[in-house]
Tab-separated table of all heavy atoms in Angstrom:
chain	number	residue	atom	x	y	z
A	1	MET	N	21.286	0.337	25.319
A	1	MET	CA	20.193	0.229	24.297
A	1	MET	C	20.418	1.354	23.247
A	1	MET	O	20.711	2.496	23.582
A	1	MET	CB	18.878	0.437	25.006
A	1	MET	CG	17.648	0.195	24.053
A	1	MET	SD	16.086	0.779	24.731
A	1	MET	CE	15.940	-0.348	26.141
A	2	ARG	N	20.221	1.045	22.003
A	2	ARG	CA	20.335	1.938	20.998
A	2	ARG	C	19.094	2.939	20.980
A	2	ARG	O	18.020	2.478	21.317
A	2	ARG	CB	20.390	1.269	19.595
A	2	ARG	CG	20.998	2.095	18.497
A	2	ARG	CD	21.104	1.308	17.225
A	2	ARG	NE	21.598	-0.089	17.484
A	2	ARG	CZ	22.004	-0.911	16.506
A	2	ARG	NH1	22.001	-0.495	15.248
A	2	ARG	NH2	22.426	-2.138	16.780
A	3	SER	N	19.339	4.201	20.606
A	3	SER	CA	18.277	5.116	20.811
A	3	SER	C	17.554	5.582	19.517
A	3	SER	O	16.587	6.237	19.509
A	3	SER	CB	18.749	6.395	21.543
A	3	SER	OG	19.769	7.019	20.750
A	4	GLY	N	18.078	5.109	18.350
A	4	GLY	CA	17.479	5.486	17.063
A	4	GLY	C	16.805	4.346	16.354
A	4	GLY	O	17.024	3.166	16.725
A	5	CYS	N	16.050	4.627	15.357
A	5	CYS	CA	15.402	3.674	14.513
A	5	CYS	C	16.491	2.762	13.841
A	5	CYS	O	17.446	3.261	13.254
A	5	CYS	CB	14.514	4.311	13.443
A	5	CYS	SG	13.931	3.199	12.210
A	6	GLU	N	16.357	1.446	13.895
A	6	GLU	CA	17.254	0.516	13.312
A	6	GLU	C	17.378	0.705	11.795
A	6	GLU	O	18.413	0.469	11.266
A	6	GLU	CB	16.689	-0.907	13.623
A	6	GLU	CG	17.567	-2.018	13.091
A	6	GLU	CD	18.677	-2.410	14.068
A	6	GLU	OE1	19.100	-1.525	14.861
A	6	GLU	OE2	19.153	-3.450	14.001
A	7	GLU	N	16.289	1.145	11.171
A	7	GLU	CA	16.297	1.214	9.716
A	7	GLU	C	16.756	2.650	9.220
A	7	GLU	O	17.655	2.704	8.384
A	7	GLU	CB	14.835	1.022	9.293
A	7	GLU	CG	14.647	0.795	7.875
A	7	GLU	CD	15.095	-0.532	7.414
A	7	GLU	OE1	15.103	-1.535	8.173
A	7	GLU	OE2	15.531	-0.699	6.199
A	8	CYS	N	16.180	3.706	9.759
A	8	CYS	CA	16.498	5.048	9.241
A	8	CYS	C	17.277	5.913	10.160
A	8	CYS	O	17.654	7.021	9.813
A	8	CYS	CB	15.242	5.768	8.788
A	8	CYS	SG	14.139	6.226	10.152
A	9	GLY	N	17.475	5.449	11.402
A	9	GLY	CA	18.283	6.230	12.348
A	9	GLY	C	17.616	7.378	13.027
A	9	GLY	O	18.133	8.084	13.891
A	10	LYS	N	16.304	7.569	12.728
A	10	LYS	CA	15.535	8.662	13.304
A	10	LYS	C	15.382	8.398	14.831
A	10	LYS	O	15.290	7.265	15.323
A	10	LYS	CB	14.192	8.637	12.629
A	10	LYS	CG	13.186	9.683	13.041
A	10	LYS	CD	11.928	9.528	12.169
A	10	LYS	CE	10.680	10.170	12.867
A	10	LYS	NZ	10.307	9.532	14.144
A	11	ALA	N	15.377	9.481	15.559
A	11	ALA	CA	15.177	9.406	17.040
A	11	ALA	C	13.763	8.837	17.287
A	11	ALA	O	12.793	9.125	16.628
A	11	ALA	CB	15.240	10.770	17.672
A	12	LEU	N	13.673	7.981	18.345
A	12	LEU	CA	12.420	7.278	18.589
A	12	LEU	C	11.683	7.869	19.748
A	12	LEU	O	12.312	8.308	20.720
A	12	LEU	CB	12.718	5.801	18.890
A	12	LEU	CG	13.345	4.954	17.762
A	12	LEU	CD1	13.806	3.618	18.290
A	12	LEU	CD2	12.307	4.796	16.643
A	13	THR	N	10.401	7.890	19.681
A	13	THR	CA	9.572	8.312	20.814
A	13	THR	C	9.275	7.079	21.743
A	13	THR	O	9.423	5.927	21.285
A	13	THR	CB	8.251	8.901	20.381
A	13	THR	OG1	7.483	7.878	19.791
A	13	THR	CG2	8.470	10.035	19.391
A	14	PHE	N	8.882	7.355	22.979
A	14	PHE	CA	8.499	6.330	23.863
A	14	PHE	C	7.406	5.420	23.248
A	14	PHE	O	7.500	4.148	23.397
A	14	PHE	CB	7.969	6.967	25.150
A	14	PHE	CG	7.656	5.983	26.228
A	14	PHE	CD1	8.676	5.516	27.098
A	14	PHE	CD2	6.373	5.531	26.525
A	14	PHE	CE1	8.467	4.596	28.093
A	14	PHE	CE2	6.112	4.625	27.516
A	14	PHE	CZ	7.128	4.138	28.248
A	15	ASN	N	6.457	6.026	22.622
A	15	ASN	CA	5.336	5.256	22.037
A	15	ASN	C	5.834	4.402	20.860
A	15	ASN	O	5.287	3.342	20.630
A	15	ASN	CB	4.216	6.161	21.630
A	15	ASN	CG	3.440	6.634	22.771
A	15	ASN	OD1	3.609	6.157	23.938
A	15	ASN	ND2	2.539	7.498	22.565
A	16	GLU	N	6.813	4.872	20.103
A	16	GLU	CA	7.298	4.083	18.934
A	16	GLU	C	8.035	2.849	19.466
A	16	GLU	O	7.912	1.724	18.955
A	16	GLU	CB	8.222	4.960	18.113
A	16	GLU	CG	7.467	5.946	17.248
A	16	GLU	CD	8.382	6.920	16.539
A	16	GLU	OE1	9.438	7.267	16.974
A	16	GLU	OE2	7.999	7.278	15.401
A	17	ILE	N	8.778	3.016	20.516
A	17	ILE	CA	9.412	1.874	21.137
A	17	ILE	C	8.437	0.898	21.675
A	17	ILE	O	8.470	-0.310	21.471
A	17	ILE	CB	10.343	2.332	22.271
A	17	ILE	CG1	11.561	3.067	21.677
A	17	ILE	CG2	10.908	1.150	23.106
A	17	ILE	CD1	12.525	3.721	22.682
A	18	GLY	N	7.376	1.479	22.327
A	18	GLY	CA	6.249	0.642	22.839
A	18	GLY	C	5.514	-0.129	21.746
A	18	GLY	O	5.229	-1.252	21.851
A	19	ALA	N	5.313	0.590	20.663
A	19	ALA	CA	4.661	-0.053	19.533
A	19	ALA	C	5.461	-1.208	18.956
A	19	ALA	O	4.918	-2.312	18.667
A	19	ALA	CB	4.367	0.958	18.409
A	20	TYR	N	6.765	-1.036	18.820
A	20	TYR	CA	7.598	-2.068	18.335
A	20	TYR	C	7.554	-3.303	19.263
A	20	TYR	O	7.417	-4.430	18.864
A	20	TYR	CB	9.050	-1.608	18.197
A	20	TYR	CG	9.934	-2.570	17.445
A	20	TYR	CD1	10.045	-2.537	16.044
A	20	TYR	CD2	10.610	-3.540	18.148
A	20	TYR	CE1	10.778	-3.440	15.380
A	20	TYR	CE2	11.456	-4.414	17.442
A	20	TYR	CZ	11.467	-4.403	16.045
A	20	TYR	OH	12.312	-5.301	15.394
A	21	LYS	N	7.618	-3.034	20.570
A	21	LYS	CA	7.590	-4.138	21.549
A	21	LYS	C	6.231	-4.857	21.434
A	21	LYS	O	6.185	-6.049	21.491
A	21	LYS	CB	7.710	-3.567	22.945
A	21	LYS	CG	9.167	-3.101	23.297
A	21	LYS	CD	9.237	-2.658	24.726
A	21	LYS	CE	10.680	-2.358	25.165
A	21	LYS	NZ	10.679	-1.667	26.453
A	22	LYS	N	5.207	-4.083	21.292
A	22	LYS	CA	3.887	-4.611	21.234
A	22	LYS	C	3.624	-5.439	19.950
A	22	LYS	O	3.066	-6.554	20.047
A	22	LYS	CB	2.834	-3.511	21.280
A	22	LYS	CG	1.414	-3.898	21.608
A	22	LYS	CD	1.275	-4.093	23.110
A	22	LYS	CE	-0.090	-4.626	23.427
A	22	LYS	NZ	-0.316	-4.839	24.840
A	23	PHE	N	4.070	-4.913	18.817
A	23	PHE	CA	3.694	-5.517	17.569
A	23	PHE	C	4.729	-6.492	17.126
A	23	PHE	O	4.460	-7.445	16.333
A	23	PHE	CB	3.579	-4.467	16.480
A	23	PHE	CG	2.497	-3.481	16.769
A	23	PHE	CD1	2.687	-2.168	16.493
A	23	PHE	CD2	1.299	-3.818	17.358
A	23	PHE	CE1	1.683	-1.181	16.765
A	23	PHE	CE2	0.318	-2.954	17.671
A	23	PHE	CZ	0.512	-1.591	17.353
A	24	VAL	N	6.010	-6.391	17.518
A	24	VAL	CA	7.051	-7.256	16.946
A	24	VAL	C	7.637	-8.189	18.031
A	24	VAL	O	7.521	-9.337	18.002
A	24	VAL	CB	8.181	-6.403	16.281
A	24	VAL	CG1	9.213	-7.318	15.704
A	24	VAL	CG2	7.586	-5.477	15.245
A	25	ASN	N	8.338	-7.547	18.967
A	25	ASN	CA	9.055	-8.336	20.001
A	25	ASN	C	9.162	-7.632	21.284
A	25	ASN	O	9.855	-6.615	21.349
A	25	ASN	CB	10.382	-8.722	19.420
A	25	ASN	CG	11.229	-9.525	20.394
A	25	ASN	OD1	10.716	-9.936	21.484
A	25	ASN	ND2	12.449	-9.896	20.003
A	26	ARG	N	8.542	-8.125	22.266
A	26	ARG	CA	8.497	-7.492	23.625
A	26	ARG	C	9.945	-7.333	24.202
A	26	ARG	O	10.207	-6.433	24.975
A	26	ARG	CB	7.650	-8.324	24.561
A	26	ARG	CG	7.497	-7.807	25.941
A	26	ARG	CD	6.067	-7.379	26.204
A	26	ARG	NE	6.018	-6.548	27.379
A	26	ARG	CZ	4.923	-6.051	27.888
A	26	ARG	NH1	3.793	-6.216	27.274
A	26	ARG	NH2	4.956	-5.321	28.960
A	27	GLY	N	10.767	-8.289	23.919
A	27	GLY	CA	12.074	-8.301	24.534
A	27	GLY	C	13.175	-7.650	23.676
A	27	GLY	O	14.327	-7.675	23.979
A	28	SER	N	12.768	-7.045	22.557
A	28	SER	CA	13.758	-6.465	21.599
A	28	SER	C	14.474	-5.280	22.272
A	28	SER	O	13.999	-4.507	23.073
A	28	SER	CB	13.030	-5.956	20.389
A	28	SER	OG	13.969	-5.518	19.434
A	29	THR	N	15.787	-5.160	21.814
A	29	THR	CA	16.604	-4.042	22.265
A	29	THR	C	16.994	-3.072	21.164
A	29	THR	O	17.618	-2.079	21.326
A	29	THR	CB	17.910	-4.527	22.906
A	29	THR	OG1	18.571	-5.341	22.031
A	29	THR	CG2	17.612	-5.236	24.229
A	30	SER	N	16.449	-3.380	19.918
A	30	SER	CA	16.585	-2.370	18.831
A	30	SER	C	15.195	-2.224	18.261
A	30	SER	O	14.408	-3.163	18.219
A	30	SER	CB	17.624	-2.887	17.802
A	30	SER	OG	17.200	-4.057	17.249
A	31	PHE	N	14.933	-1.048	17.769
A	31	PHE	CA	13.526	-0.702	17.448
A	31	PHE	C	13.410	0.022	16.113
A	31	PHE	O	14.459	0.520	15.567
A	31	PHE	CB	12.928	0.152	18.559
A	31	PHE	CG	13.098	-0.440	19.858
A	31	PHE	CD1	14.081	-0.023	20.749
A	31	PHE	CD2	12.201	-1.386	20.280
A	31	PHE	CE1	14.259	-0.618	21.968
A	31	PHE	CE2	12.351	-2.042	21.543
A	31	PHE	CZ	13.385	-1.616	22.370
A	32	LEU	N	12.209	0.146	15.589
A	32	LEU	CA	11.932	0.859	14.391
A	32	LEU	C	10.994	2.059	14.708
A	32	LEU	O	10.157	1.949	15.579
A	32	LEU	CB	11.226	-0.001	13.307
A	32	LEU	CG	12.068	-1.183	12.807
A	32	LEU	CD1	11.148	-2.046	11.864
A	32	LEU	CD2	13.287	-0.696	12.028
A	33	CYS	N	11.165	3.097	13.931
A	33	CYS	CA	10.198	4.266	14.139
A	33	CYS	C	8.807	3.844	13.549
A	33	CYS	O	8.745	2.777	12.864
A	33	CYS	CB	10.711	5.479	13.422
A	33	CYS	SG	10.778	5.364	11.625
A	34	ARG	N	7.820	4.624	13.718
A	34	ARG	CA	6.496	4.260	13.288
A	34	ARG	C	6.430	4.075	11.731
A	34	ARG	O	5.789	3.168	11.296
A	34	ARG	CB	5.504	5.387	13.624
A	34	ARG	CG	4.715	5.005	14.843
A	34	ARG	CD	4.150	6.199	15.576
A	34	ARG	NE	3.396	7.160	14.931
A	34	ARG	CZ	3.808	8.398	14.591
A	34	ARG	NH1	5.014	8.727	14.818
A	34	ARG	NH2	3.057	9.216	14.001
A	35	THR	N	7.132	4.942	11.001
A	35	THR	CA	7.116	4.862	9.564
A	35	THR	C	7.744	3.514	9.088
A	35	THR	O	7.130	2.834	8.234
A	35	THR	CB	7.928	6.019	9.022
A	35	THR	OG1	7.519	7.177	9.588
A	35	THR	CG2	7.716	6.081	7.500
A	36	CYS	N	8.864	3.109	9.587
A	36	CYS	CA	9.555	1.897	9.234
A	36	CYS	C	8.780	0.686	9.728
A	36	CYS	O	8.731	-0.314	9.100
A	36	CYS	CB	11.043	1.939	9.753
A	36	CYS	SG	12.054	3.235	9.002
A	37	LEU	N	8.232	0.839	10.919
A	37	LEU	CA	7.446	-0.277	11.462
A	37	LEU	C	6.209	-0.562	10.601
A	37	LEU	O	5.897	-1.693	10.303
A	37	LEU	CB	7.004	0.033	12.913
A	37	LEU	CG	6.164	-1.050	13.622
A	37	LEU	CD1	6.944	-2.350	13.765
A	37	LEU	CD2	5.727	-0.574	15.014
A	38	ALA	N	5.527	0.559	10.225
A	38	ALA	CA	4.390	0.380	9.351
A	38	ALA	C	4.727	-0.324	8.014
A	38	ALA	O	4.097	-1.186	7.547
A	38	ALA	CB	3.762	1.755	9.094
A	39	ALA	N	5.898	0.122	7.457
A	39	ALA	CA	6.365	-0.499	6.235
A	39	ALA	C	6.653	-1.972	6.438
A	39	ALA	O	6.278	-2.826	5.616
A	39	ALA	CB	7.597	0.195	5.703
A	40	LYS	N	7.305	-2.309	7.546
A	40	LYS	CA	7.658	-3.729	7.870
A	40	LYS	C	6.383	-4.572	8.045
A	40	LYS	O	6.324	-5.673	7.564
A	40	LYS	CB	8.517	-3.726	9.173
A	40	LYS	CG	8.870	-5.139	9.676
A	40	LYS	CD	9.591	-5.033	10.972
A	40	LYS	CE	9.690	-6.287	11.713
A	40	LYS	NZ	10.645	-7.284	11.021
A	41	LEU	N	5.418	-4.040	8.739
A	41	LEU	CA	4.169	-4.763	8.968
A	41	LEU	C	3.160	-4.630	7.797
A	41	LEU	O	2.118	-5.224	7.833
A	41	LEU	CB	3.524	-4.290	10.270
A	41	LEU	CG	4.385	-4.407	11.549
A	41	LEU	CD1	3.646	-3.854	12.759
A	41	LEU	CD2	4.704	-5.879	11.837
A	42	ASP	N	3.525	-3.838	6.820
A	42	ASP	CA	2.693	-3.611	5.642
A	42	ASP	C	1.321	-3.047	6.057
A	42	ASP	O	0.246	-3.558	5.576
A	42	ASP	CB	2.479	-4.927	4.907
A	42	ASP	CG	2.075	-4.726	3.433
A	42	ASP	OD1	2.351	-3.608	2.929
A	42	ASP	OD2	1.514	-5.646	2.847
A	43	VAL	N	1.363	-2.086	6.926
A	43	VAL	CA	0.118	-1.344	7.323
A	43	VAL	C	0.461	0.137	7.176
A	43	VAL	O	1.630	0.541	6.982
A	43	VAL	CB	-0.324	-1.672	8.735
A	43	VAL	CG1	-0.721	-3.114	8.908
A	43	VAL	CG2	0.756	-1.253	9.786
A	44	SER	N	-0.576	0.984	7.345
A	44	SER	CA	-0.322	2.439	7.241
A	44	SER	C	0.125	2.968	8.621
A	44	SER	O	-0.135	2.345	9.625
A	44	SER	CB	-1.601	3.159	6.807
A	44	SER	OG	-2.565	3.025	7.822
A	45	VAL	N	0.802	4.130	8.546
A	45	VAL	CA	1.201	4.745	9.855
A	45	VAL	C	-0.051	5.128	10.642
A	45	VAL	O	-0.034	5.042	11.907
A	45	VAL	CB	2.049	6.026	9.535
A	45	VAL	CG1	2.345	6.803	10.802
A	45	VAL	CG2	3.330	5.668	8.820
A	46	GLU	N	-1.154	5.504	9.973
A	46	GLU	CA	-2.393	5.768	10.695
A	46	GLU	C	-2.918	4.595	11.501
A	46	GLU	O	-3.387	4.694	12.595
A	46	GLU	CB	-3.470	6.225	9.709
A	46	GLU	CG	-3.204	7.584	9.074
A	46	GLU	CD	-2.055	7.587	8.095
A	46	GLU	OE1	-1.783	6.532	7.499
A	46	GLU	OE2	-1.436	8.672	7.835
A	47	GLU	N	-2.702	3.455	10.866
A	47	GLU	CA	-3.120	2.160	11.529
A	47	GLU	C	-2.342	1.935	12.816
A	47	GLU	O	-2.822	1.546	13.846
A	47	GLU	CB	-2.880	0.991	10.568
A	47	GLU	CG	-3.368	-0.374	11.075
A	47	GLU	CD	-4.890	-0.469	11.033
A	47	GLU	OE1	-5.597	0.450	10.425
A	47	GLU	OE2	-5.421	-1.338	11.691
A	48	ILE	N	-1.029	2.222	12.706
A	48	ILE	CA	-0.134	2.112	13.932
A	48	ILE	C	-0.618	3.097	15.033
A	48	ILE	O	-0.776	2.689	16.156
A	48	ILE	CB	1.344	2.418	13.549
A	48	ILE	CG1	1.843	1.454	12.467
A	48	ILE	CG2	2.244	2.431	14.807
A	48	ILE	CD1	2.306	0.126	12.988
A	49	ASP	N	-0.840	4.365	14.580
A	49	ASP	CA	-1.344	5.314	15.536
A	49	ASP	C	-2.656	4.902	16.218
A	49	ASP	O	-2.775	5.087	17.388
A	49	ASP	CB	-1.559	6.678	14.829
A	49	ASP	CG	-0.221	7.377	14.530
A	49	ASP	OD1	0.865	6.992	15.170
A	49	ASP	OD2	-0.207	8.276	13.652
A	50	ARG	N	-3.569	4.365	15.453
A	50	ARG	CA	-4.805	3.934	15.905
A	50	ARG	C	-4.654	2.827	16.909
A	50	ARG	O	-5.282	2.795	17.988
A	50	ARG	CB	-5.722	3.508	14.732
A	50	ARG	CG	-7.198	3.468	15.075
A	50	ARG	CD	-8.068	3.657	13.893
A	50	ARG	NE	-7.719	2.702	12.814
A	50	ARG	CZ	-7.503	3.085	11.575
A	50	ARG	NH1	-7.520	4.312	11.242
A	50	ARG	NH2	-7.155	2.166	10.630
A	51	LYS	N	-3.805	1.868	16.623
A	51	LYS	CA	-3.495	0.801	17.556
A	51	LYS	C	-2.926	1.260	18.861
A	51	LYS	O	-3.281	0.832	19.909
A	51	LYS	CB	-2.461	-0.207	16.895
A	51	LYS	CG	-3.101	-1.020	15.812
A	51	LYS	CD	-3.927	-2.143	16.277
A	51	LYS	CE	-4.424	-3.037	15.159
A	51	LYS	NZ	-5.500	-3.885	15.584
A	52	ILE	N	-1.949	2.285	18.746
A	52	ILE	CA	-1.364	2.829	19.933
A	52	ILE	C	-2.440	3.440	20.816
A	52	ILE	O	-2.487	3.251	22.056
A	52	ILE	CB	-0.315	3.845	19.542
A	52	ILE	CG1	0.941	3.137	18.974
A	52	ILE	CG2	0.106	4.692	20.785
A	52	ILE	CD1	2.007	4.090	18.429
A	53	GLU	N	-3.343	4.196	20.178
A	53	GLU	CA	-4.496	4.857	20.947
A	53	GLU	C	-5.334	3.698	21.663
A	53	GLU	O	-5.749	3.890	22.756
A	53	GLU	CB	-5.349	5.627	19.974
A	53	GLU	CG	-4.709	6.932	19.534
A	53	GLU	CD	-4.242	7.754	20.703
A	53	GLU	OE1	-4.917	7.969	21.671
A	53	GLU	OE2	-3.083	8.266	20.618
A	54	GLN	N	-5.571	2.656	20.949
A	54	GLN	CA	-6.396	1.521	21.520
A	54	GLN	C	-5.681	0.953	22.688
A	54	GLN	O	-6.283	0.726	23.760
A	54	GLN	CB	-6.564	0.404	20.488
A	54	GLN	CG	-7.667	0.612	19.532
A	54	GLN	CD	-7.786	-0.436	18.442
A	54	GLN	OE1	-7.229	-1.526	18.630
A	54	GLN	NE2	-8.478	-0.185	17.363
A	55	PHE	N	-4.414	0.647	22.572
A	55	PHE	CA	-3.628	0.057	23.695
A	55	PHE	C	-3.558	1.027	24.851
A	55	PHE	O	-3.655	0.625	26.061
A	55	PHE	CB	-2.189	-0.304	23.240
A	55	PHE	CG	-2.164	-1.514	22.363
A	55	PHE	CD1	-1.560	-1.465	21.113
A	55	PHE	CD2	-2.809	-2.718	22.707
A	55	PHE	CE1	-1.522	-2.560	20.276
A	55	PHE	CE2	-2.850	-3.778	21.861
A	55	PHE	CZ	-2.159	-3.741	20.653
A	56	LYS	N	-3.423	2.349	24.589
A	56	LYS	CA	-3.396	3.353	25.649
A	56	LYS	C	-4.750	3.324	26.405
A	56	LYS	O	-4.790	3.342	27.609
A	56	LYS	CB	-3.194	4.729	25.025
A	56	LYS	CG	-1.760	5.202	25.046
A	56	LYS	CD	-1.549	6.394	24.115
A	56	LYS	CE	-2.333	7.669	24.528
A	56	LYS	NZ	-1.950	8.729	23.631
A	57	ALA	N	-5.834	3.233	25.618
A	57	ALA	CA	-7.148	3.240	26.192
A	57	ALA	C	-7.339	1.989	27.123
A	57	ALA	O	-8.133	2.018	28.079
A	57	ALA	CB	-8.211	3.238	25.128
A	58	GLN	N	-6.641	0.935	26.819
A	58	GLN	CA	-6.712	-0.320	27.568
A	58	GLN	C	-5.770	-0.268	28.820
A	58	GLN	O	-5.740	-1.161	29.564
A	58	GLN	CB	-6.282	-1.514	26.749
A	58	GLN	CG	-7.314	-1.872	25.670
A	58	GLN	CD	-6.720	-2.857	24.628
A	58	GLN	OE1	-5.646	-3.361	24.823
A	58	GLN	NE2	-7.471	-3.038	23.576
A	59	GLY	N	-5.015	0.921	28.910
A	59	GLY	CA	-4.132	1.039	30.062
A	59	GLY	C	-2.762	0.367	29.865
A	59	GLY	O	-2.101	0.149	30.884
A	60	CYS	N	-2.376	0.064	28.639
A	60	CYS	CA	-1.100	-0.546	28.396
A	60	CYS	C	0.019	0.363	28.834
A	60	CYS	O	0.059	1.573	28.437
A	60	CYS	CB	-0.952	-0.906	26.923
A	60	CYS	SG	0.622	-1.716	26.592
A	61	THR	N	0.924	-0.130	29.602
A	61	THR	CA	2.044	0.716	30.164
A	61	THR	C	3.129	0.990	29.167
A	61	THR	O	4.104	1.691	29.490
A	61	THR	CB	2.623	0.050	31.420
A	61	THR	OG1	3.065	-1.266	31.063
A	61	THR	CG2	1.619	0.029	32.506
A	62	LEU	N	3.124	0.372	27.978
A	62	LEU	CA	4.137	0.606	26.955
A	62	LEU	C	3.886	1.968	26.248
A	62	LEU	O	4.735	2.378	25.495
A	62	LEU	CB	4.106	-0.515	25.894
A	62	LEU	CG	4.633	-1.863	26.403
A	62	LEU	CD1	4.419	-2.895	25.340
A	62	LEU	CD2	6.113	-1.801	26.777
A	63	PHE	N	2.732	2.583	26.560
A	63	PHE	CA	2.424	3.838	25.830
A	63	PHE	C	2.100	4.952	26.836
A	63	PHE	O	1.550	4.680	27.871
A	63	PHE	CB	1.278	3.609	24.873
A	63	PHE	CG	1.508	2.424	23.909
A	63	PHE	CD1	0.996	1.224	24.121
A	63	PHE	CD2	2.397	2.644	22.878
A	63	PHE	CE1	1.172	0.167	23.283
A	63	PHE	CE2	2.669	1.595	22.012
A	63	PHE	CZ	2.114	0.326	22.211
A	64	VAL	N	2.351	6.200	26.408
A	64	VAL	CA	1.929	7.344	27.220
A	64	VAL	C	0.985	8.234	26.432
A	64	VAL	O	1.031	8.198	25.173
A	64	VAL	CB	3.154	8.191	27.620
A	64	VAL	CG1	3.975	7.402	28.729
A	64	VAL	CG2	4.055	8.558	26.523
B	1	LIG	ZN1	12.769	4.471	10.749
């Protein structure tokens, strides 16, 4: 598995990988960082962070 953002090459956090799986493709093996994911989905990075917090609160195992 590749360890950096597909778009900018930045190192990815566990939650960024989780966010990509959650929002784009659960089975994906390449991922985007929060910044690039937000751009791709046409939302703000804050929106991504808020969603991650929501999923965490729901007990989603893709996030820590
Ligand atoms: Zn990126």
Side-chain angles (χ1 to χ4, degrees):
M1 187 194 295
R2 203 177 315 195
S3 59
C5 171
E6 181 84 338
E7 193 74 27
C8 69
K10 184 178 156 298
L12 296 169
T13 67
F14 186 82
N15 283 353
E16 284 174 330
I17 292 173
Y20 190 88
K21 286 182 175 172
K22 194 82 184 179
F23 301 140
V24 183
N25 179 2
R26 180 113 195 179
S28 185
T29 53
S30 61
F31 307 99
L32 296 174
C33 67
R34 260 156 53 255
T35 311
C36 296
L37 180 61
K40 176 184 166 70
L41 299 177
D42 201 24
V43 298
S44 66
V45 174
E46 289 72 25
E47 186 73 14
I48 299 279
D49 286 341
R50 199 153 53 230
K51 290 283 187 195
I52 289 175
E53 288 305 315
Q54 277 176 18
F55 289 128
K56 266 165 63 177
Q58 290 165 10
C60 181
T61 54
L62 289 174
F63 306 103
V64 288

